[in-house]
């Protein structure tokens, strides 16, 4: 309770002093302030020095715009607060830093101080400061493009205000959320929050805010092309404002909205009538942005009335005022940039203070631990060091032995696993893949032996073709099996020689052209010039033959196969592409693996072993390259493999 009372006192000082700064001149505020600061230093009253330093900094932030003077004052206040561990005072020092960075629109750095203040505030229960910090965080997140976080902060404020029944805070949170949703074009949500705001202001009888809200709601309806509802809200807003005094700017804003409504309804005459009233009120309020808006709408209205002279006149007035406002804005931006540069130069001091604070905390912690364990350490230090040394040596030896044993076991397990995979593959091929072709041969030979007399010439020719196909499948299987077996047992010496990849593609094209012609498939070699590479000739031609054979097998009648070589960096890449049936991703991921057997019939029911692609992978890798596939079901497949130059 005492802490909450203290933070309430500090909050009252903070808000009252900002109000005092707004209502007084810089000269009045600065009278005797430097002398008071020096007096606090002289009597070494750190708490008073911190308070006066913050007051001076706030004057420079909000009144004199001398941010270069404000920064060292806040740094000094932070040094004092951290040294005295005065968390409550430190919270308001952090809020002072945020105000400084907010002034130069550096919300990224400002957020850091808000979050520091928020972290300290967790130890206290004082909602007004929590609401203030959350509101500023919401605005900072919005300014840095973190829309989600901004909405979250405002929703937290809204929930708290609804729970604690604080209507003004609830209305402000609804308005902020409505503005955010309006900016991101989420008009339904924006309209919902504006309506909630309107309901609150009507309940607490705040007519000016009620009229502003009605005007915003009308603008949303106008954007949504609901002109009738937009006009109704504008009229109600004007009825409220016409009964009030000193609201010229508010009335002018609504009349501008009504003029926009009439322009949208293609009634520029009525728009001009309302703009005449708006112009008079805007001039009286001396609100330059409002006057500029009125000139812009007047120019549009007179243009629609074909009164181009007046349209030009108001367009030139708008431009002249815009140039004036832009110059002021540019001047302010230059000052902000200069101030931001100056502040950035001093940020290193803040970072150093933070580092010193962390280092100090670390040193205090170490000192505390040292004192707690000093007596024990003195008595047991020698024994512990000896035991640790013995244990270290023993552990080191054990770890070395264990590591050697683990590596040996791992190597042996891998070798066993490879052998098992090889064995399983051989058994799978022998038991399944050899059985199919041999069964076909047995069936065809039986038919020829036992039914020759009853078969026609055409039937015998058909059986002969099927017999030939089975023999070729069996031959291809045995060829791949033999090659793969030789590579596994190390009987093939992969000695690199100079080869012509273009010539090799053409040779394999000629070799399999008859097989392709049977399915009306066109094979095209894209390369016309020879491409010289160094690799083992027989293994590379085996890879090309297998890949081309696969492409023919899985391409429909009338399809197309393209082959070529491209240079990529320090390697050549051979590509064989077809427009055949393709394959799913899950199949493509398995086709090169020895531990999974995958064989698919071709488009003309051709049989495969699943060993050809595994052999291709083995041979390509033996030549120092890689093989990969890109395929889309129904659209074709591209097999590629690389050979180092």
């Amino acid at each position: 309770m005492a802490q909450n009372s203290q933070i309430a006192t500090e909050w009252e000082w903070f808000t009252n002093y900002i109000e005092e700064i707004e209502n007084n001149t810089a000269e009045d505020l600065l009278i005797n302030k430097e002398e008071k600061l020096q007096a606090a230093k002289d009597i070494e009253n750190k708490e008073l020095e911190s308070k006066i330093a913050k007051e001076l900094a706030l004057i420079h932030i909000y009144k004199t715009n001398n941010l270069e003077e404000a920064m060292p004052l806040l740094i000094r206040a932070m040094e004092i607060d951290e040294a005295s561990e005065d968390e409550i005072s430190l919270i308001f020092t952090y809020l002072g830093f945020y105000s400084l960075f907010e002034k130069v629109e550096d919300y990224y750095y400002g957020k850091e101080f808000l979050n520091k203040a928020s972290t300290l505030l967790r130890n206290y229960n004082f909602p007004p400061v929590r609401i203030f910090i959350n509101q500023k965080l919401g605005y900072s997140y919005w300014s840095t493009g973190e829309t989600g976080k901004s909405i979250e902060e405002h929703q937290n404020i809204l929930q708290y205000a609804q729970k604690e029944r604080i209507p003004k805070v609830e209305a402000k949170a609804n308005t902020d959320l409505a503005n955010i949703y309006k900016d991101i074009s989420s008009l339904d949500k924006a309209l919902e929050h504006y309506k909630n705001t309107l309901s609150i202001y009507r309940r607490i009888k705040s007519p000016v805010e009620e009229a502003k809200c009605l005007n915003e709601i009308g603008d949303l309806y106008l954007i949504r092309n609901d002109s009738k509802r937009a006009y109704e809200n504008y009229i109600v807003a004007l009825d409220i404002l016409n009964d009030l005094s000193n609201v010229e700017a508010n009335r002018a804003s609504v009349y501008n909205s009504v003029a926009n409504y009439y322009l949208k309804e293609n009634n520029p005459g009525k728009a001009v009538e309302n703009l005449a009233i708006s112009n008079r009120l805007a001039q009286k309020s001396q609100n330059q942005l409002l006057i500029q808006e009125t000139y812009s709408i007047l120019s549009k209205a007179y243009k629609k009335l074909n009164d181009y002279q007046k349209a030009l006149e108001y367009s030139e007035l708008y431009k002249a005022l815009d140039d004036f406002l832009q110059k002021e804005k540019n001047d302010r931006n230059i000052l902000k940039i200069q101030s931001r540069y100056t502040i950035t130069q001093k940020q290193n001091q803040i970072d150093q203070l933070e580092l010193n604070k962390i280092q100090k905390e670390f040193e205090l912690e170490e000192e505390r631990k040292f004192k707690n364990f000093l007596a024990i350490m003195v008595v047991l230090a020698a024994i512990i060091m000896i035991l640790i040394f013995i244990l270290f040596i023993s552990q080191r030896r054990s770890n070395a032995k264990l590591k050697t044993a683990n590596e040996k076991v791992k190597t042996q397990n891998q070798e066993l696993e490879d052998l098992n995979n090889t064995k399983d593959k051989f058994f799978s091929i022998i038991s399944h893949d050899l059985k199919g072709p041999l069964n076909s041969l047995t069936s065809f030979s039986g038919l020829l032996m036992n039914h020759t007399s009853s078969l026609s010439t055409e039937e015998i020719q058909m059986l002969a073709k099927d017999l030939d196909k089975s023999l070729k499948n069996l031959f291809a299987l045995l060829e791949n099996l033999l090659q793969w077996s030789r590579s596994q047992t190390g009987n093939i010496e992969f000695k690199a020689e100079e080869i012509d990849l273009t010539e090799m593609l053409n040779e394999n094209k000629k070799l399999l052209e008859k097989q392709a012609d049977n399915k009306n498939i066109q094979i095209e070699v894209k390369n016309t010039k020879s491409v010289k590479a160094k690799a083992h000739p027989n293994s590379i031609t085996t890879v090309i033959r297998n890949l081309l054979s696969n492409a023919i097998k899985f391409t429909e009648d009338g399809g197309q196969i393209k082959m070529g070589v491209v240079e990529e960096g320090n390697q050549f890449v051979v590509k064989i592409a077809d427009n055949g049936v393709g394959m799913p991703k899950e199949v493509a991921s398995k086709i090169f693996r020895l531990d999974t057997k995958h064989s698919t019939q071709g488009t003309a029911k051709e049989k495969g072993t699943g060993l050809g692609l595994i052999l291709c992978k083995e041979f390509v890798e033996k030549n120092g390259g890689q093989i990969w596939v890109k395929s889309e079901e129904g659209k074709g497949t591209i097999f590629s493999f690389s050979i180092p130059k």
Side-chain angles (χ1 to χ4, degrees):
M1 289 179 66
Q3 288 178 329
N4 291 336
S5 175
Q6 184 184 350
I7 199 169
T9 302
E10 288 292 312
W11 173 247
E12 185 179 3
W13 159 78
F14 184 80
T15 52
N16 288 343
Y17 199 75
I18 290 176
E19 185 178 349
E20 184 181 342
I21 291 170
E22 290 174 353
N23 296 329
N24 290 278
T25 64
E27 292 77 15
D28 292 336
L29 292 165
L30 289 170
I31 291 174
N32 299 326
K33 192 64 70 174
E34 291 287 349
E35 289 82 358
K36 289 179 181 178
L37 181 62
Q38 187 58 49
K41 291 178 181 178
D42 292 340
I43 62 174
E44 297 184 353
N45 188 332
K46 300 297 184 184
E47 183 181 349
L48 182 59
E49 182 184 349
S50 173
K51 178 67 70 69
I52 297 173
K54 282 196 278 275
E55 289 179 349
L56 262 172
L58 292 172
I59 293 169
H60 289 309
I61 291 168
Y62 289 109
K63 208 68 177 181
T64 68
N65 289 318
N66 191 344
L67 305 184
E68 189 175 357
E69 285 288 334
M71 178 65 105
L73 289 164
L74 289 171
I75 291 173
R76 177 56 183 159
M78 186 169 68
E79 286 177 335
I80 294 169
D81 296 339
E82 287 180 346
S84 63
E85 297 182 351
D86 188 345
E87 289 185 347
I88 293 174
S89 183
L90 191 56
I91 288 171
F92 291 94
T93 303
Y94 287 153
L95 294 183
F97 273 113
Y98 171 78
S99 300
L100 185 145
F101 287 107
E102 183 186 42
K103 198 74 173 177
V104 294
E105 297 179 356
D106 186 352
Y107 295 102
Y108 286 100
Y109 211 70
K111 279 187 303 185
E112 291 186 19
F113 288 98
L114 285 176
N115 284 317
K116 287 178 181 180
S118 181
T119 301
L120 291 178
L121 195 62
R122 291 174 187 168
N123 301 324
Y124 309 94
N125 181 24
F126 192 72
V129 181
R130 171 61 61 194
I131 292 169
F132 177 85
I133 291 173
N134 286 356
Q135 285 174 336
K136 294 295 185 181
L137 273 172
Y139 184 76
S140 298
Y141 284 131
W142 177 245
S143 300
T144 55
E146 297 169 276
T147 307
K149 288 185 177 180
S150 179
I151 290 172
E152 183 181 349
E153 290 293 340
H154 288 302
Q155 284 176 339
N156 289 338
I157 297 168
L158 182 59
Q159 289 172 5
Y160 176 82
Q162 288 171 339
K163 180 182 175 183
E164 298 298 327
R165 300 181 183 277
I166 311 173
K168 287 187 178 180
V169 174
E170 183 182 352
K172 178 71 168 59
N174 270 305
T175 301
D176 290 338
L177 284 166
N179 289 331
I180 292 170
Y181 285 124
K182 183 179 178 181
D183 282 347
I184 62 175
S185 298
S186 185
L187 300 183
D188 288 338
K189 288 188 175 181
L191 192 58
E192 177 187 345
H193 284 289
Y194 273 131
K195 286 181 177 179
N196 290 340
T197 307
L198 178 62
S199 175
I200 295 165
Y201 284 134
R202 281 176 173 170
R203 190 172 73 244
I204 64 175
K205 294 182 171 41
S206 181
V208 175
E209 297 299 329
E210 180 183 350
K212 285 182 185 177
C213 199
L214 284 164
N215 193 29
E216 292 287 350
I217 292 170
D219 288 344
L220 282 176
Y221 278 127
L222 201 61
I223 293 170
R224 295 173 61 180
N225 295 317
D226 192 344
S227 299
K228 182 181 177 182
R229 287 192 178 181
Y231 183 76
E232 289 171 355
N233 279 276
Y234 296 146
I235 295 303
V236 176
L238 284 174
D239 287 341
I240 294 169
L241 293 171
N242 286 336
D243 294 331
L244 302 173
S245 57
N246 300 321
V247 289
E248 287 80 10
N250 301 96
R251 289 173 64 200
S253 180
V254 180
Y255 276 113
N256 278 347
S257 296
V258 173
N260 279 324
Y261 158 78
Y262 279 120
L263 284 177
K264 198 159 192 174
E265 293 294 302
N266 203 24
N267 191 344
K270 277 284 188 181
V272 169
E273 289 177 15
N274 283 276
L275 287 166
I277 302 170
S278 173
N279 191 22
R280 187 179 70 252
L281 292 168
Q283 296 287 349
K284 188 176 180 180
S285 70
Q286 297 183 349
N287 187 319
Q288 300 297 323
L289 291 174
L290 197 54
I291 294 169
Q292 185 185 29
E293 180 188 12
T294 307
Y295 286 159
S296 174
I297 305 170
L298 274 165
S299 178
K300 293 175 186 175
Y302 278 117
K303 190 175 181 180
K304 282 199 170 188
L305 286 169
N306 297 324
D307 190 342
Y308 296 107
Q309 184 176 350
K310 285 194 175 181
L312 179 61
E313 177 184 341
Y314 282 106
S315 177
E316 288 176 347
L317 285 170
Y318 170 86
K319 190 176 184 307
L321 185 55
D322 185 66
D323 289 341
F324 173 76
L325 293 175
Q326 190 62 43
K327 184 179 181 303
E328 284 191 340
K329 185 179 179 181
N330 290 340
D331 291 341
R332 287 196 301 271
N333 286 338
I334 290 169
L335 285 173
K336 283 179 183 176
I337 291 168
Q338 290 173 343
S339 299
R340 188 180 297 176
Y341 175 79
T342 303
I343 289 168
T344 303
Q345 305 306 307
K346 295 182 180 292
Q347 283 180 5
N348 289 334
Q349 291 179 253
I350 301 173
D351 296 336
Q352 188 60 48
L353 283 173
E354 190 67 22
L355 182 62
N356 291 342
K357 180 184 175 183
I358 294 169
Q359 188 174 355
K360 184 179 178 182
E361 288 174 353
F362 176 79
E363 289 172 354
L364 288 171
E365 181 66 17
E366 288 298 307
E367 184 179 351
R368 185 184 65 81
K369 289 180 180 179
F370 178 79
K371 288 179 179 178
N372 289 342
F373 294 99
L374 182 60
I376 300 171
M377 290 300 292
V378 170
V379 176
L380 300 176
I383 300 172
I384 291 172
M385 288 300 294
I386 293 169
L387 289 174
I388 289 173
F389 181 76
I390 294 170
L391 183 62
F392 174 77
I393 297 299
S394 176
Q395 187 72 28
R396 191 173 179 182
R397 289 175 181 170
S398 298
N399 286 343
K401 290 179 181 178
L402 185 61
K403 184 179 179 181
T404 303
N406 283 338
E407 288 175 353
K408 188 175 180 181
V409 170
K410 187 177 179 180
T411 303
Q412 290 174 344
N413 284 340
Q414 186 62 47
E415 290 173 356
L416 287 171
E417 186 176 347
D418 292 341
L419 288 172
N420 279 331
N421 285 336
T422 304
K423 177 202 69 175
D424 292 340
K425 192 66 184 179
F426 269 108
F427 278 126
S428 174
I429 292 167
I430 291 168
S431 64
H432 183 273
D433 295 315
L434 290 178
K435 183 179 178 183
L438 289 172
N439 282 341
S440 297
L441 288 172
T442 303
S443 299
F444 295 147
S445 62
L447 283 170
L448 288 171
M449 289 171 59
N450 299 322
H451 301 284
T452 306
S453 59
S454 62
L455 294 172
S456 66
T457 304
E458 290 80 10
E459 287 173 332
I460 292 171
Q461 286 177 346
M462 184 178 69
L463 283 172
K465 285 181 180 179
D466 291 336
L467 188 62
D468 180 69
K469 189 185 292 184
S470 294
L471 282 168
K472 285 179 178 178
N473 286 340
L474 183 60
F475 178 79
L477 170 64
L478 291 172
E479 175 78 9
N480 280 339
L481 187 59
L482 178 61
Q483 292 274 27
W484 184 76
S485 176
R486 290 177 64 199
S487 74
Q488 294 297 302
T489 54
N491 290 332
I492 299 177
E493 184 182 357
F494 287 84
K495 185 177 180 181
E497 299 175 12
E498 187 175 89
I499 60 173
D500 189 335
L501 291 172
T502 302
E503 183 181 342
M504 198 169 281
L505 290 174
N506 284 313
E507 286 175 357
N508 279 280
K509 174 188 172 184
K510 290 178 184 177
L511 182 66
L512 298 174
E513 210 159 31
K514 181 64 177 173
Q515 185 180 338
D517 289 341
N518 291 336
K519 296 176 73 175
N520 295 316
I521 293 171
Q522 182 184 354
I523 304 175
E524 179 184 358
V525 177
K526 302 294 287 186
N527 294 76
T528 56
K529 296 181 180 179
S530 66
V531 178
K532 303 292 185 179
K534 283 205 168 186
H536 181 248
N538 290 339
S539 62
I540 296 301
T541 198
T542 300
V543 173
I544 294 172
R545 186 176 67 251
N546 269 286
L547 295 179
L548 181 55
S549 177
N550 270 1
I552 296 168
K553 185 189 299 183
F554 295 105
T555 300
E556 300 281 0
D557 284 4
Q560 190 176 32
I561 298 171
K562 295 182 181 180
M563 301 190 293
V565 185
V566 294
E567 186 176 352
E568 292 183 4
N570 60 351
Q571 63 183 7
F572 292 110
V573 177
V574 181
K575 295 179 179 287
I576 299 176
D578 64 65
N579 60 352
V581 296
M583 69 185 89
K585 287 183 180 179
E586 58 270 16
V587 172
S589 65
K590 297 177 181 178
I591 57 176
F592 296 113
R593 287 170 54 185
L594 182 64
D595 59 337
T596 60
K597 180 179 184 302
H598 186 82
S599 178
T600 308
Q601 284 191 344
T603 57
K605 306 299 183 183
E606 302 100 317
K607 291 185 179 180
T609 67
L611 185 60
L613 291 175
I614 296 169
L615 181 64
C616 288
K617 182 176 185 293
E618 186 86 12
F619 280 1
V620 169
E621 289 178 351
K622 292 283 187 182
N623 281 280
Q626 291 182 320
I627 188 168
W628 64 93
V629 63
K630 289 183 180 179
S631 183
E632 187 172 350
E633 200 167 2
K635 293 190 177 180
T637 303
I638 303 174
F639 278 92
S640 306
F641 68 91
S642 62
I643 302 174
K645 288 184 180 178

